[in-house]
Amino acid sequence: MLDTKKKDIMFTGIQPTGWPTLGNYCGTMCNWKYIQKKYKCFFCIADLHALTTYPRNSNKNSMKNNFSTNILDMVALYLSCGVDPNSSIIFVQSDVHTHSQLYWILSNFVYFGELSRMTQFKQRFLLKNKTTSLSLFCYPVLMAADILLYHTNCVLVGLDQKQHLELVQKIAHRFNAIYGNIFIIPDVLMLPIGNKIMALQNPEKKMSKSDKNINNTIFLLENIDSIRLKLQRALTDSDCSSDCIRYDVFNKPGVSNLLSIFSCLTSKKISILEDEFKNYQYSSFKEKLSDIVCNFISEIQAVYYKFRKDEDYLIDILMHGKENALKHSTKKLYSVFRVLNL
Ligand code: TRP
């Protein structure tokens, strides 16, 4: 049985909806390997959250199949990013019933107005106001349940989830104010650089899984030649001075974005990179960057494909994950039931 007594707890979740991007990697995934040293980690595959956006009109069986292959893909990806299943817990959200139970309870401690102010919801609602589901509205409440069930001290998320996390803290405070210290108020952990990885052809907006222009996004499981081509075509500017490789988000968003990627993958400071690439032209800088990115992603892919072949092993990890997640979260759910007289 895993011992969670010694360390603080870190919780994070990822939706099993398609391949993660280089932006996701730099934003959170690159930290998974290291964060396990300091925290006992729970990695949740948030398939219930994925239901909010998953196409619903496909037939039931194919959707189920799709979900389970995506979930196994995610487990192999966790492993290829250095998650150690012997010290961390990887589990599927819908395998652990306590999440939906606490979700309902917590929805009594959050107000309509608060959920209406969530930027992600507002954006969706503006786009498709007739078909925006209730689940999309309540999305952050399920996140609150995910996190608060595990005595979580810290949550690792991308910048886009910051507002949701602040609401989670508010819900926990509100509950505690009435019923005593039932929940820990989790800290939010965000990586400084990685949250700013932008679209390659349009560095004013974030790199996204669902971008219509495929040249904007690099996927972790994408073909290496295609990654190289996308980086070489990445939008820069017409500056050809000797210090054209400069970090200046306002005037040079394209180059700044490429510098951020470089810095994240090599752990070199941006100022060191600016020095290193003085007198470089864009084309030769991009070539160096492509080598770094392609080597890096090739290594991840090699480990990924090795693990992905062994489905029995991946399923075994999820079974253990389920058992552990159930054990930990049931305790917390019962303490909530107790104070609510349920
Ligand atoms: N909503 C998160 C995302 O889309 C995924 C997620 C679900 C999550 N539950 C969570 C992240 C709990 C952190 C903590 O990125």
Side-chain angles (χ1 to χ4, degrees), residues 11-15 44 46 49 93 139 142-143 146-147 155-157 160-161 164-165:
F11 189 98
T12 191
I14 194 164
Q15 291 190 34
C44 171
H49 277 107
Q93 190 182 30
Y139 185 105
L142 183 57
M143 279 181 74
D146 294 344
I147 296 162
V155 186
L156 179 64
V157 281
D160 59 335
Q161 297 297 315
H164 290 163
L165 263 293

Side-chain angles (χ1 to χ4, degrees), residues 62-174:
S62 75
M63 180 159 129
K64 177 82 193 145
N65 285 339
N66 251 333
F67 260 116
S68 36
T69 43
N70 280 349
I71 284 170
L72 295 183
D73 291 350
M74 282 314 304
V75 183
L77 253 171
Y78 275 126
L79 301 180
S80 63
C81 291
V83 173
D84 171 8
N86 293 316
S87 64
S88 295
I89 294 164
I90 305 175
F91 72 100
V92 179
Q93 190 182 30
S94 68
D95 274 349
V96 186
H97 61 83
T98 47
H99 290 240
S100 0
Q101 286 174 285
L102 184 62
Y103 155 75
W104 180 254
I105 291 176
L106 293 180
S107 67
N108 295 286
F109 296 85
V110 60
Y111 303 125
F112 191 86
E114 288 169 327
L115 290 171
S116 319
R117 284 194 289 279
M118 294 293 113
T119 313
Q120 259 189 11
F121 173 76
K122 281 200 292 194
Q123 283 168 348
R124 274 288 300 226
F125 193 66
L126 273 179
L127 223 62
K128 299 183 177 176
N129 67 355
K130 290 226 169 76
T131 55
T132 302
S133 61
L134 180 61
S135 61
L136 225 99
F137 186 67
C138 301
Y139 185 105
V141 191
L142 183 57
M143 279 181 74
D146 294 344
I147 296 162
L148 299 177
L149 273 172
Y150 293 91
H151 234 70
T152 301
N153 302 91
C154 112
V155 186
L156 179 64
V157 281
L159 189 62
D160 59 335
Q161 297 297 315
K162 184 168 175 258
Q163 198 189 23
H164 290 163
L165 263 293
E166 284 163 358
L167 186 59
V168 172
Q169 292 170 328
K170 211 178 217 176
I171 295 174
H173 268 301
R174 194 168 287 153

